[in-house]
Structures are given as structure tokens and as C-alpha cells.
Amino acid sequence: MNEDKQKTTLEDVLDAFAMEGDPSRATLEWYLSIYPEFAPDLIDLSREMMRPETVDDMPLSTNDATRIDDGWKAFIATQPAALTDPFAALTPMRSKEIAKELGVPRQVITAFRERRVQPLSVPKPFLVRFAAFLNQAVDELILVLSTRSAQPLARSYMADGKPGNNEQVTFEQILIDSGIPDADRARLLAKGE
């Protein structure tokens, strides 16, 4: 029994006391007799548990209400804005226009939409242009592309094999898979300054 008492921590004793159905004086005295080393903490907890609840029916003063509202507004201002998915409202026509402007096949845009492209593998100049066409900040676009929440688009064709696990691949690999010629691929992969 001494081994069990030595293993018992203050937190364990306070948790057990707090869970008692009857935190009366008798219960407190019983805990104090078993765990005298925790007496100050047990007494403090007992006092806290026995303190009557007070309900303040007084309405807030105008000054207090204003201070609370100002504090809440300041808190809200510090919260990051929810990211919007720039691909959610992208129509097939707009997707085709963006692909043409960027000089890539539409399947490259689809790869971005399905989050199959590793965002950090995309050269900055391409990302800047792509973000501009999507009316999105570059950093926000990178964050959106980093999320794996987008579901692959429904396709109406039969696959030759089993579906893959949709792992992200490099931008270069997407370009190769799209059949883009070497010269065009080199232009799209140019890092620029």
C-alpha cells in the first residue's frame, strides 16, 4: 500500500477529490488523513468547490460593453482570413482561357485544381502569372495548392488500370505528362529573377 501512496501524485489526489459526489467536511477530513502532504492544496480545492455560485444580474455598463466589443473586434482582426479556393468557381471556359494565356494544355490547370502539383516545384514567374489570372495572391495560392482537400474531378472515361493514390508530383513531371515539347517546357520552368 505504501508503494501505491508513493506513486500517487498531487494531481491524482485533487482529481479524485474533485470527482467525489459529496465534497463535504467529512470527505475532506478523510482525504487529509490519507494524504496529509497535500493538505494545503486539498483545502484550497475544497474551499473553491464549496464557494457558492454568484449570479450577477446587473446589466453591463455602456463602458464595459464598449470595452468588450473593442476587445472582440481586436481579437477577430488577429485571426487569419479563411482561404478561398480560387478553383471552386473556375468555369471550363475560364480554365481554357487561362491555359491558353499560360501556354499550357488544360490538363495542367486540371492538375493544379486537383492539387496534384507540388506547389514548391513551380517556378515563381509561372506562379505569379497563374495567381494573377485567378485573382489570388501568390502566397494564398501556394497555401491553397498545399492543401489536399480538393477531390479529383469526375471523369467519364474508363481507366486502363487501377486508380492511383493521387500523390503530388513536380510541375516538371506534369508538363512532361502533358506532352509539352522540350523548348516550351524549358520556358515554363525558367526561374527568372
Side-chain angles (χ1 to χ4, degrees), residues 1 16-17 32 44 67 70 86 92 94-96 117 124 126 134-135 139 141 143 150 158 162-163 169 177 191-192:
M1 184 164 169
F17 182 75
L32 291 174
D44 286 345
R67 289 177 60 201
D70 291 345
R94 182 66 183 140
S95 179
K96 182 178 179 182
V117 181
K124 186 84 168 183
F126 185 89
L134 293 172
N135 296 322
D139 293 339
L141 179 59
L143 281 174
M158 301 273 302
K162 292 183 180 179
V169 296
D177 293 346
K191 300 286 183 196

Side-chain angles (χ1 to χ4, degrees), residues 102-104 123 126 129 171 175 180 183-190:
L102 293 172
V104 296
F126 185 89
R129 291 183 62 219
F171 180 58
L175 297 177
I180 294 179
D184 290 337
R185 200 167 57 239
R187 177 185 52 81
L188 292 168
L189 292 170

Side-chain angles (χ1 to χ4, degrees), residues 80-136:
L83 285 177
T84 57
D85 184 354
F87 301 104
L90 192 61
T91 64
M93 183 59 75
R94 182 66 183 140
S95 179
K96 182 178 179 182
E97 291 169 0
I98 292 173
K100 184 177 179 182
E101 290 291 327
L102 293 172
V104 296
R106 277 189 21 198
Q107 67 194 59
V108 172
I109 305 302
T110 302
F112 278 103
R113 183 181 205 152
E114 293 178 350
R115 313 298 197 272
R116 289 188 288 124
V117 181
Q118 294 171 353
L120 298 178
S121 70
V122 183
K124 186 84 168 183
F126 185 89
L127 271 177
V128 168
R129 291 183 62 219
F130 192 30
F133 288 124
L134 293 172
N135 296 322
Q136 187 90 13

